[in-house]
């Protein structure tokens, strides 16, 4: 008979192992969530009482614990640098200061609610800032309700959330190349380096083809003008 602990181990091994590309997409998803929270807070007419601020911080920490910090740790384990948007970097910095005791709940709430993030010139602003999310606690009177968001999300659930998110992306998102998937080997860093190498080769080929086509179109137009 299979012991419960062994069955649990086999179940954990069956969980999907994300590539660093998956993690980068999850960070994009987290950026979209924090941006939506920030804009919703600007539009909210609810009185920002100490209780409201405390509950808000509780939910904000939940966001980071589900969609940010575990994956930053994954990068650290693989000895690689996480790719965070500028806005997400600022949010992580605030939350880290709170974790270390440099900020209390009111201070964190104030910094988050007053932080001005400039998205001008960002090609992917529309991609990041989407409003259809699951667990949109910020649209309700979360300060008056029990803390009902799940205490834990599996890797499979997080990946499905960002994939659903990506399906909402505007037409500009098709400019991003599709990423080839591979079986996971024993060395996660080597696996991801191979994926990055092949993806860069594909991107270089596509850019070369695109540039060749544009040069050809430009030459044709120049001949017609002369």
């Amino acid at each position: 008979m299979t012991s419960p602990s062994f069955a649990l181990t086999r179940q954990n091994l069956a969980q999907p192992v994300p590539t660093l590309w998956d993690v980068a997409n999850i960070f994009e998803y987290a950026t979209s969530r924090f941006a939506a929270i920030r804009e919703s807070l600007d539009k909210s007419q609810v009185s920002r009482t100490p209780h409201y601020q405390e509950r808000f911080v509780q939910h904000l920490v939940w966001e980071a614990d589900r969609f940010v910090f575990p994956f930053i740790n994954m990068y650290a384990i693989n000895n690689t640098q996480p790719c965070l948007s500028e806005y997400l970097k600022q949010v992580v910095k605030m939350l880290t200061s709170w974790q270390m005791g440099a900020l209390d709940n009111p201070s964190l709430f104030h910094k988050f609610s007053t932080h001005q993030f400039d998205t001008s010139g960002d090609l992917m602003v529309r991609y990041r800032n989407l409003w259809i999310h699951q667990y949109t606690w910020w649209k309700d009177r979360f300060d008056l309700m029990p803390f009902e968001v799940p205490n834990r999300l599996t890797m499979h659930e997080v990946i499905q959330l960002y994939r659903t998110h990506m399906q909402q992306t505007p037409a500009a998102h098709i400019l991003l190349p599709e990423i080839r998937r591979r079986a996971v080997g024993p060395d996660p860093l080597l696996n991801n380096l191979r994926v990055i190498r092949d993806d860069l080769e594909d991107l270089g080929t596509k850019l070369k083809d695109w540039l060749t086509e544009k040069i050809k179109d430009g030459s044709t137009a120049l001949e017609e003008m002369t």
Side-chain angles (χ1 to χ4, degrees):
M1 180 180 296
T2 303
S3 66
S5 60
F6 181 69
L8 181 61
T9 302
R10 290 195 306 179
Q11 182 180 3
N12 290 339
L13 290 175
Q15 292 293 325
V17 179
T19 66
L20 295 185
W21 182 258
D22 288 320
V23 177
N25 278 302
I26 291 171
F27 286 150
E28 291 291 343
Y29 177 67
T31 301
S32 177
R33 292 184 66 93
F34 281 114
I37 294 168
R38 179 68 175 83
E39 292 192 18
S40 179
L41 183 61
D42 278 346
K43 298 175 182 179
S44 175
Q45 301 297 320
V46 178
S47 178
R48 301 178 180 184
T49 63
H51 174 73
Y52 177 90
Q53 296 181 27
E54 179 181 356
R55 298 286 286 171
F56 184 89
V57 168
Q58 183 183 17
H59 285 79
L60 205 63
V61 172
W62 178 87
E63 291 285 335
D65 286 342
R66 301 289 82 76
F67 304 114
V68 182
F69 290 141
F71 306 103
I72 290 179
N73 295 338
M74 188 176 299
Y75 268 87
I77 290 172
N78 290 328
N79 195 28
T80 54
Q81 179 68 28
C83 182
L84 305 179
S85 67
E86 185 59 34
Y87 179 55
L88 190 56
K89 287 180 183 177
Q90 296 300 320
V91 173
V92 169
K93 184 178 180 180
M94 297 176 201
L95 289 164
T96 302
S97 297
W98 177 85
Q99 286 181 323
M100 297 176 64
L103 295 176
D104 56 12
N105 287 351
S107 299
L108 174 58
F109 179 85
H110 176 74
K111 286 186 71 70
F112 182 84
S113 61
T114 59
H115 177 71
Q116 299 298 320
F117 57 100
D118 182 15
T119 57
S120 60
D122 189 342
L123 181 63
M124 302 307 293
V125 165
R126 291 174 298 168
Y127 165 52
R128 287 182 174 136
N129 193 10
L130 301 173
W131 282 85
I132 303 176
H133 298 94
Q134 193 171 350
Y135 309 118
T136 51
W137 52 267
W138 57 87
K139 293 185 178 181
D140 302 317
R141 286 301 305 273
F142 58 89
D143 56 316
L144 301 179
M145 298 187 296
F147 191 77
E148 295 181 345
V149 289
N151 291 326
R152 181 184 177 192
L153 293 175
T154 66
M155 180 64 65
H156 176 73
E157 290 174 311
V158 174
I159 290 177
Q160 288 303 313
L161 284 173
Y162 94 69
R163 287 178 178 171
T164 301
H165 173 82
M166 290 175 67
Q167 292 173 1
Q168 307 172 45
T169 55
H173 183 255
I174 64 175
L175 296 175
L176 295 179
E178 288 294 330
I179 302 303
R180 292 181 293 182
R181 304 293 178 177
R182 288 176 173 75
V184 177
D187 189 333
L189 180 57
L190 183 58
N191 291 334
N192 286 290
L193 288 176
R194 288 171 177 166
V195 171
I196 293 171
R197 178 200 63 191
D198 293 341
D199 291 337
L200 287 175
E201 289 178 357
D202 289 344
L203 180 59
T205 301
K206 291 178 181 179
L207 288 175
K208 180 181 178 181
D209 294 341
W210 176 80
L211 183 59
T212 301
E213 182 180 353
K214 291 301 179 184
I215 293 175
K216 181 179 178 181
D217 292 342
S219 299
T220 302
L222 182 60
E223 290 176 0
E224 293 177 355
M225 291 175 63
T226 55

